[in-house]
Amino acid sequence: MKISVIGCGYLGAVHAAAMASLGHEVVGVDVDADKVAALTSGRPPFFEPGLSELLVKGQELGSLEFTTDVSRVADSQIHFVCVGTPQKPGEFAADVTYVDAAVDSLVPHLTSTSVVVGKSTVPVGTAERLAVALVPTGAALMWNPEFLREGHAVEDTLHPNRLVYGVADGEAGEQATAGLDEVYATMLDEQTPRMVTDFATAELVKTAANSFLATKISFINAMAELCEASGADVTQLADAIGIDDRIGRKFLNAGLGFGGGCLPKDIRAFMARAGELGADQAVAFLKEIDSINMRRRVRMVDIARDTLDGSFIGKKITVLGAAFKPNSDDVRDSPALAVARLIATQGGVVTVTDPQAIDNAAMTFPELNYVADTSQALADADAVLLLTEWQEYRDLDPVATASLVAGKVLIDGRNVLTPEVWRSAGWTYRALGRP
Ligand code: UDX
């Protein structure tokens, strides 16, 4: 199939490269010339395991092209819209202007056999509105939400755990379904579950899934608050309740909470959209989910300050991790950086390190100190805060680390270290939700 992908960020670049690796002819379009140049030369503009190999494979096959020129989509039958829908400044609602602009830019190139496939996460009702805008072109619209996790994006794109097609009734829906079935033939051969729904349901599947995941994380973090109040251990609590497969152990890791470009803004956009629809009570609980999540950052700072006898002034704090989660260089709404900034504003001398995200972090918060090398970052620290659980931080040796720092204080913001091991090496070990 000849395919275009509009928007080559975390979602679109991976989608374009993955579709080319499946044998399709793909043109990826982005307004950012630097990003296009990087992708064209096989260099991913962000860290995503496996993407580089896919880009090289696509170039070798001659089936993957990146451009800033949207007219290059003219030969494509299927057009994927993969642009961002960030939170509007000063509001909870999502900004859908990039989606609207992407669809507008496609319109002159569409025919009655074209299919436009929205993958961006949008407020429910967006697809219905865009379908009306496409009527004069004769093209069909479909909403096909994407569930990929950063850090696993290649695997999740090539082997998704489900496919959801939101389509219009009648012929347009059939045309869109047939087109996408052809694009995703290898996945359908692997028996990937595929559900065909109306537009609104498909849009809500994505928002509901992310709301559920956020709720699960904030639930266990609320339990962590109770554990702190009562002297219990949230990691044991999570293990014990997670054995019940109605609950499940996944997404029950208590700690600093969720961040990134999806969960925080998606639950806020959901609240905003529910309000517009007169259904705000239905998701009012998400406000509490958000509050629990944001409280964890403040609690982390409180624990660190408390451990340092009540003040950060003049103390050297090393923050391990800047990305919002491991295996990513994405710092959007990073809990680790939020904590680092709070400590800096309270007088701490903060050094941040991360295996991949330092450049992005420095662009976002230039006021913090960044050191790439872990040992150098740890040198003379009065306290070490593990805030993003990269494997290399999980593997730190307490004895070797002790020889680098000034004060053996470790605060585990992700509950990934074994307290006894660190304590027996002479460290003061503290964590969220653990005695
Ligand atoms: C998420 C969804 O998982 C994905 O399906 C959707 O398409 C986009 O949003 P992503 O943002 O890449 O993906 O990250 P995810 O792995 O879901 O983690 C989100 C955040 O929750 C991270 O900050 C992570 O550290 C945190 N988290 C996750 C926890 O705090 N505890 C957990 O148990 C799991």
Side-chain angles (χ1 to χ4, degrees):
M1 298 285 278
K2 291 191 171 182
I3 290 172
S4 87
V5 176
I6 313 298
C8 296
Y10 288 98
L11 165 60
V14 177
H15 194 69
M19 293 304 108
S21 79
L22 294 177
H24 301 301
E25 261 179 63
V26 183
V27 55
V29 183
D30 200 285
V31 290
D32 182 339
D34 291 340
K35 198 180 276 181
V36 165
L39 288 165
T40 302
S41 62
R43 276 182 293 116
F46 49 85
F47 178 76
E48 186 60 53
L51 177 57
S52 181
E53 290 81 347
L54 278 194
L55 290 172
V56 171
K57 186 176 168 190
Q59 309 285 345
E60 282 169 5
L61 290 170
S63 57
L64 181 59
E65 174 195 341
F66 292 96
T67 176
T68 54
D69 177 7
V70 76
S71 71
R72 301 281 302 129
V73 309
D75 292 340
S76 302
Q77 300 146 274
I78 311 261
H79 306 272
F80 288 96
V81 175
C82 295
V83 294
T85 51
Q87 188 175 342
K88 282 185 190 168
E91 283 182 52
F92 270 10
D95 179 356
V96 294
T97 53
Y98 303 110
V99 174
D100 290 352
V103 172
D104 285 348
S105 73
L106 284 173
V107 163
H109 310 289
L110 299 176
T111 68
S112 58
T113 56
S114 308
V115 180
V116 177
V117 183
K119 290 194 81 66
S120 307
T121 301
V122 290
V124 58
T126 304
E128 194 72 59
R129 179 172 62 75
L130 293 173
V132 173
L134 290 183
V135 167
T137 68
L141 180 74
M142 155 172 310
W143 221 264
N144 170 227
E146 178 56 56
F147 305 104
L148 68 78
R149 299 158 298 162
E150 287 177 27
H152 304 270
V154 169
E155 176 69 13
D156 287 353
T157 303
L158 288 172
H159 307 284
N161 76 347
R162 80 273 209 198
L163 294 165
V164 177
Y165 296 4
V167 299
D169 287 337
E171 227 174 275
E174 284 163 24
Q175 177 187 333
T177 301
L180 208 56
D181 277 352
E182 208 173 325
V183 176
Y184 293 154
T186 52
M187 302 164 200
L188 294 169
D189 286 348
E190 289 172 0
Q191 309 302 320
T192 306
R194 187 203 73 168
M195 284 189 67
V196 182
T197 71
D198 54 31
F199 287 140
T201 305
E203 291 166 321
L204 279 175
V205 167
K206 172 68 192 227
T207 327
N210 276 358
S211 297
F212 192 87
L213 295 173
T215 302
K216 215 171 164 191
I217 298 168
S218 276
F219 172 81
I220 201 65
N221 282 332
M223 294 306 107
E225 291 186 9
L226 274 161
C227 287
E228 283 167 26
S230 61
D233 184 328
V234 74
T235 62
Q236 291 182 336
L237 178 81
D239 288 344
I241 65 173
I243 290 170
D244 182 338
D245 61 14
R246 291 172 304 174
I247 296 173
R249 181 61 179 82
K250 286 183 184 161
F251 266 69
L252 276 188
N253 295 322
L256 204 47
F258 57 83
C262 291
L263 299 192
K265 68 112 176 146
D266 285 353
I267 62 168
R268 292 172 195 152
F270 199 16
M271 285 185 268
R273 184 63 184 135
E276 288 168 4
L277 293 168
D280 39 341
Q281 267 194 320
V283 290
F285 72 95
L286 289 176
K287 185 122 185 63
E288 197 50 43
I289 298 306
D290 202 4
S291 301
I292 294 166
N293 193 50
M294 299 311 277
R295 279 210 296 274
R296 296 283 74 195
R297 304 174 184 192
V298 177
R299 176 70 186 139
M300 182 75 202
V301 176
D302 290 346
I303 291 179
R305 196 181 43 246
D306 180 51
T307 316
L308 290 168
D309 300 328
S311 171
F312 289 119
I313 307 281
K315 303 270 172 55
K316 188 181 172 209
I317 316 295
T318 297
V319 166
L320 301 177
F324 84 100
K325 68 172 194 178
N327 297 316
S328 172
D329 64 355
D330 192 350
V331 298
R332 286 176 294 172
D333 204 351
S334 163
L337 285 181
V339 168
R341 288 179 74 217
L342 277 171
I343 295 176
T345 56
Q346 293 181 26
V349 182
V350 183
T351 298
V352 180
T353 186
D354 189 285
Q356 293 292 339
I358 280 187
D359 291 348
N360 284 346
M363 268 189 282
T364 316
F365 300 122
E367 67 274 23
L368 299 170
N369 303 321
Y370 298 96
V371 172
D373 179 76
T374 310
S375 298
Q376 278 175 22
L378 286 165
D380 302 325
D382 293 302
V384 180
L385 274 54
L386 195 169
L387 303 186
T388 311
E389 68 278 30
W390 287 92
Q391 192 61 44
E392 75 167 88
Y393 306 148
R394 290 169 174 254
D395 293 342
L396 279 176
D397 175 51
V399 176
T401 309
S403 68
L404 301 169
V405 298
K408 289 192 269 179
V409 172
L410 187 122
I411 314 197
D412 180 0
R414 294 292 178 180
N415 282 314
V416 288
L417 302 177
T418 310
E420 303 76 48
V421 172
W422 285 78
R423 285 184 180 136
S424 63
W427 286 79
T428 299
Y429 171 96
R430 292 195 61 183
L432 294 159
R434 282 172 126 174

